């Protein structure tokens, strides 16, 4: 089980990212529309001003049950080992063993 | 050496049904899973907390969850539903309120139903809890296993296998002990086999109990 502090760091990043999401999106749109270069520098400065943890690239998916940072599947939000355990406990709707 | 696959997972498409039964697009699948986890944990904690009061043991055999757009239907299959029914149905409503508190969604109603399992000792989960209780009371493990098998035989199953692994009797060297009665055809997919894996924490460490019950041959 991952350290609680790491899981909470992720949560903090998620909160910040949600908070600044619209601002970032509007700045990005503007920067691609505006013709002159100096204005682009200005808008770029604005893009740099929100806190770093609000950037979506800094998010890292974790397993929602254990917080494991590796081996996560986007479809389930789970890491591989827990996925297998839950599968055998018949808790994943529609998942069956594949054989062909 | 061969290792055994979990018989429930092995039969999932054919003779075994899922305990959670709903549909979701891939985007929302993980959200649905998280909801399911919350519901199940809530129910188990509630039963665990109120178990002290009733001092019986009620085994939850299964928690089935079905979801529709506007409704979440939770069916709890329970072996000895004393607490939740005799408490003048206050138990169920309290449960419902507890679970609803976890959910901030207003769109979905929550409906909790309790079903009584007809042969409680034919369910491996309940049997495992029974053995766990016995082992906690320092009964010799072989007696506990035999008693459990007897109870299961009374509910006419066609075969049962019980396995205990770990520091049996607190001995230093851990070992695996198992007893089988009747037939338990693990390789036959069309044979309905119910399985449970349960852990007990003792002062010497952790014991693992596994129970296979051969229910039916389709």
């Amino acid at each position: 089980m991952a350290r609680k502090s790491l899981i909470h760091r992720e949560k903090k990043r998620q909160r910040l990212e949600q908070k600044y999401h619209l601002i970032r999106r509007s700045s990005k749109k503007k920067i691609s529309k505006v013709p002159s270069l100096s204005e682009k520098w200005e808008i770029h400065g604005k893009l740099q001003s929100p806190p770093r943890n609000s950037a979506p690239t800094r998010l890292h998916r974790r397993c929602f049950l254990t917080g494991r940072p590796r081996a996560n599947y986007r479809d389930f939000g789970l890491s591989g080992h827990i996925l297998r355990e839950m599968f055998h406990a018949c808790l994943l709707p529609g998942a069956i063993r594949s054989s062909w | 050496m061969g290792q055994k696959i979990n018989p429930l997972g092995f039969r999932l498409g054919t003779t075994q049904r899922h305990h959670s039964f709903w549909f979701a697009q891939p985007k929302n699948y993980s959200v649905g899973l998280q909801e399911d986890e919350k519901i199940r944990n809530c129910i188990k904690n509630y039963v665990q907390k109120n178990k002290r009061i009733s001092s019986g043991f009620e085994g939850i055999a299964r928690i089935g969850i079905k979801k529709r757009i506007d409704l979440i239907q939770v069916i709890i299959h329970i072996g000895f539903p004393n607490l939740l029914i005799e408490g003048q149905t206050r138990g169920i409503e309290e449960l419902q309120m507890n679970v609803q508190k976890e959910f901030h969604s207003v769109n979905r109603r929550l409906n909790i139903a309790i079903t009584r399992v007809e042969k409680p000792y034919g369910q491996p989960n309940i049997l495992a809890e029974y053995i766990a209780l016995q082992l906690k009371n320092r009964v010799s493990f072989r007696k506990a296993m035999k008693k459990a098998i007897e109870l299961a035989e009374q509910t006419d199953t066609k075969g049962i296998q019980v396995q205990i692994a770990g520091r049996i009797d607190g001995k230093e060297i851990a070992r695996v002990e198992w007893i089988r009665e009747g037939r338990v055809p693990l390789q036959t997919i069309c044979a309905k086999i119910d399985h449970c894996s349960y852990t007990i924490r003792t002062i010497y460490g952790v014991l693992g109990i596994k129970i296979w019950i051969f229910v039916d041959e389709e």
Side-chain angles (χ1 to χ4, degrees):
Chain A
M1 174 102 195
R3 276 173 27 210
K4 271 198 181 167
S5 54
L6 295 178
I7 303 180
H8 282 285
R9 272 194 232 164
E10 270 314 309
K11 289 210 181 129
K12 183 170 79 168
R13 288 188 193 113
Q14 282 172 4
R15 263 185 295 132
L16 278 179
E17 202 256 330
Q18 268 192 344
K19 184 169 154 197
Y20 286 90
H21 176 68
L22 289 176
I23 305 180
R24 274 185 179 261
R25 199 168 64 173
S26 71
S27 299
K28 283 189 191 171
K29 254 194 186 172
K30 266 171 66 178
I31 208 175
S32 58
K33 274 196 205 161
V34 155
S36 87
L37 193 57
S38 57
E39 285 184 48
K40 285 205 189 195
W41 287 341
E42 266 183 44
I43 302 183
H44 190 73
K46 262 205 240 160
L47 260 186
Q48 282 180 335
S49 66
R52 274 193 185 177
N53 274 340
S54 62
T57 41
R58 289 176 73 106
L59 290 179
H60 192 106
R61 294 170 186 266
R62 282 180 181 260
C63 168
F64 72 80
L65 280 182
T66 55
R68 190 160 200 266
R70 294 182 191 235
N72 291 318
Y73 289 89
R74 289 190 183 192
D75 291 333
F76 302 95
L78 291 171
S79 74
H81 188 243
I82 303 285
L83 179 65
R84 189 165 191 271
E85 279 184 11
M86 286 188 67
F87 166 75
H88 285 314
C90 313
L91 295 177
L92 304 179
I96 57 176
R97 279 174 66 93
S98 79
S99 75
W100 70 95
Chain B
M1 304 283 313
Q3 294 303 330
K4 295 181 191 20
I5 190 179
N6 189 319
L8 295 175
F10 189 41
R11 292 163 170 77
L12 259 179
T14 50
T15 42
Q16 177 74 27
R17 299 235 182 107
H18 290 88
H19 296 327
S20 291
F21 196 77
W22 37 268
F23 175 79
Q25 300 280 351
K27 262 198 202 173
N28 311 330
Y29 196 91
S30 66
V31 175
L33 279 184
Q34 294 182 25
E35 286 178 358
D36 276 6
E37 268 302 308
K38 277 194 207 157
I39 297 178
R40 288 200 165 96
N41 286 346
C42 215
I43 295 180
K44 284 188 194 150
N45 290 343
Y46 182 81
V47 170
Q48 193 86 1
K49 245 192 336 180
N50 300 353
K51 206 203 299 196
R52 307 283 165 74
I53 310 178
S54 82
S55 90
F57 86 91
E58 34 208 296
I60 302 184
R62 206 166 78 224
I63 300 179
I65 299 184
K66 294 194 179 180
K67 292 192 196 166
R68 279 196 244 152
I69 302 185
D70 53 347
L71 170 68
I72 301 183
Q73 171 93 354
V74 180
I75 303 183
I76 309 181
H77 293 83
I78 217 172
F80 312 99
N82 308 327
L83 176 72
L84 295 175
I85 290 195
E86 277 177 15
Q88 311 127 5
T89 69
R90 172 182 41 98
I92 307 184
E93 298 192 351
E94 221 182 302
L95 231 193
Q96 201 152 343
M97 290 219 311
N98 277 3
V99 179
Q100 198 120 28
K101 260 190 250 170
E102 300 273 330
F103 281 93
H104 311 287
S105 77
V106 202
N107 317 338
R108 295 174 139 180
R109 286 181 297 131
L110 183 69
N111 196 354
I112 300 189
I114 299 191
T115 321
R116 183 155 207 272
V117 178
E118 325 95 30
K119 303 175 182 168
Y121 289 116
Q123 302 289 329
N125 300 51
I126 302 181
L127 260 187
E129 283 186 24
Y130 175 79
I131 298 185
L133 258 183
Q134 299 277 23
L135 288 179
K136 273 207 185 112
N137 298 342
R138 313 277 178 86
V139 175
S140 125
F141 75 95
R142 217 174 266 285
K143 257 197 194 172
M145 284 205 283
K146 287 209 175 132
K147 191 85 208 299
I149 294 189
E150 244 180 83
L151 281 173
E153 301 256 275
Q154 285 171 5
T155 74
D156 59 37
T157 59
K158 294 201 188 141
I160 176 170
Q161 178 173 338
V162 179
Q163 171 183 309
I164 299 187
R167 292 183 67 176
I168 301 180
D169 285 338
K171 298 272 171 63
E172 250 187 42
I173 301 193
R175 56 186 208 274
V176 179
E177 291 277 346
W178 57 273
I179 305 184
R180 173 164 58 210
E181 288 283 333
R183 43 184 284 255
V184 186
L186 290 174
Q187 311 277 39
T188 314
I189 299 188
C190 64
K192 279 195 190 167
I193 296 198
D194 220 344
H195 173 79
C196 168
S197 160
Y198 196 74
T199 50
I200 324 173
R201 308 188 58 185
T202 59
I203 44 176
Y204 298 108
V206 169
L207 286 177
I209 303 181
K210 287 191 183 175
I211 302 184
W212 291 260
I213 296 186
F214 174 35
V215 175
D216 213 352
E217 176 125 51
E218 190 198 306

